[in-house]
């Protein structure tokens, strides 16, 4: 995809997340059994926080990632390996 769409001055990468706390998940996570099932799926044992995505987003948006292209960056608490 990145070869089809990119120009010489743009990079295309993707941020893939696991279960990140959002309003609906916060509501559902108040049900103890639901929260426990979620936490058992994720190797770190908890849902991610939206603030934990910021560093990766900043990196991909900065010049520091100028040679990163066509990659999927997993920010998922280890879920991709389980």
């Amino acid at each position: 995809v990145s070869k089809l769409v990119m120009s010489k001055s743009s990079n295309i990468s993707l941020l893939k997340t696991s279960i990140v706390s959002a309003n609906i998940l916060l509501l559902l996570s108040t049900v103890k059994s639901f929260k426990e099932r979620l936490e058992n799926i994720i190797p770190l044992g908890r849902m991610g926080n939206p603030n934990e995505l910021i560093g990766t987003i900043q990196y991909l948006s900065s010049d520091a990632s100028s040679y990163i292209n066509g990659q999927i960056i997993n920010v998922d608490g280890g879920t991709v390996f389980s």
Side-chain angles (χ1 to χ4, degrees), residues 4-51:
L4 294 172
V5 186
M6 77 175 257
S7 69
K8 291 180 181 179
S9 63
S10 66
N11 294 354
I12 299 172
S13 291
L14 185 69
L15 177 69
K16 180 184 162 288
T17 66
S18 180
I19 300 168
V20 175
S21 295
N23 290 337
I24 189 69
L25 283 174
L26 290 175
L27 178 63
L28 290 172
S29 69
T30 60
V31 178
K32 187 176 180 179
S33 62
F34 181 80
K35 185 176 181 182
E36 287 173 355
R37 277 186 264 158
L38 283 178
E39 290 173 346
N40 286 330
I41 293 170
I42 303 168
L44 280 181
R46 63 180 177 80
M47 290 187 290
N49 182 314
N51 291 333

Side-chain angles (χ1 to χ4, degrees), residues 53-68 73:
L53 305 176
I54 292 172
T56 307
I57 293 167
Q58 287 175 328
Y59 171 69
L60 290 173
S61 302
S62 74
D63 288 339
S65 69
S66 63
Y67 204 63
I68 304 277
I73 312 293

